[in-house]
Amino acid sequence: RGTSGQPRRGAARPHLFGKDGWAACGRLAPRLQSSGTEFDLYMVGSRQDDTRIRDWAKRANVDPARVRSGGITLNHDGGRWLSLSLPGDLPAVVREVNGQWQRQP
């Protein structure tokens, strides 16, 4: 369970996987947000610490109103990234397409 409740289920809703302290992840979140995209953020290595995710979201300028409305969710990874078995490093934006998870450019 994440800090803003359960991730929303929706076709084509992207998931952003990242780690605290990674500047590249801090750049991806605002880019998704500024495009108006709703997304679910998963923090790998959060140690189930809600404060850690919230602090990261503040540093990345994630809009708290969009988190409260569910347009953006903040979640603990809980092994989800590994379960997707996708190639490449973090951070990553992934989306489910025809039942398959795919990395987005």
Side-chain angles (χ1 to χ4, degrees):
R1 176 162 146 56
T3 61
S4 61
Q6 293 296 328
R8 296 228 173 149
R9 302 287 179 230
R13 184 173 169 117
H15 292 17
L16 169 60
F17 289 89
K19 287 187 176 182
D20 189 16
W22 288 22
C25 186
R27 289 188 299 270
L28 281 173
R31 190 176 79 198
L32 285 169
Q33 182 175 256
S34 68
S35 71
T37 301
E38 291 190 343
F39 64 95
D40 301 319
L41 180 130
Y42 288 88
M43 182 173 282
V44 176
S46 66
R47 299 186 194 115
Q48 303 301 311
D49 183 349
D50 289 351
T51 301
R52 192 172 188 167
I53 295 177
R54 285 187 196 108
D55 289 348
W56 178 89
K58 286 177 191 172
R59 289 191 308 275
N61 295 314
V62 173
D63 182 354
R66 292 196 53 201
V67 173
R68 282 191 297 275
S69 72
I72 298 171
T73 66
L74 306 176
N75 307 280
H76 301 290
D77 170 67
R80 186 166 173 82
W81 171 248
L82 291 176
S83 75
L84 295 178
S85 300
L86 293 172
D89 295 323
L90 296 176
V93 176
V94 301
R95 190 182 302 253
E96 190 174 14
V97 178
N98 297 323
Q100 298 291 319
W101 287 95
Q102 300 176 359
R103 257 186 116 94
Q104 300 298 294

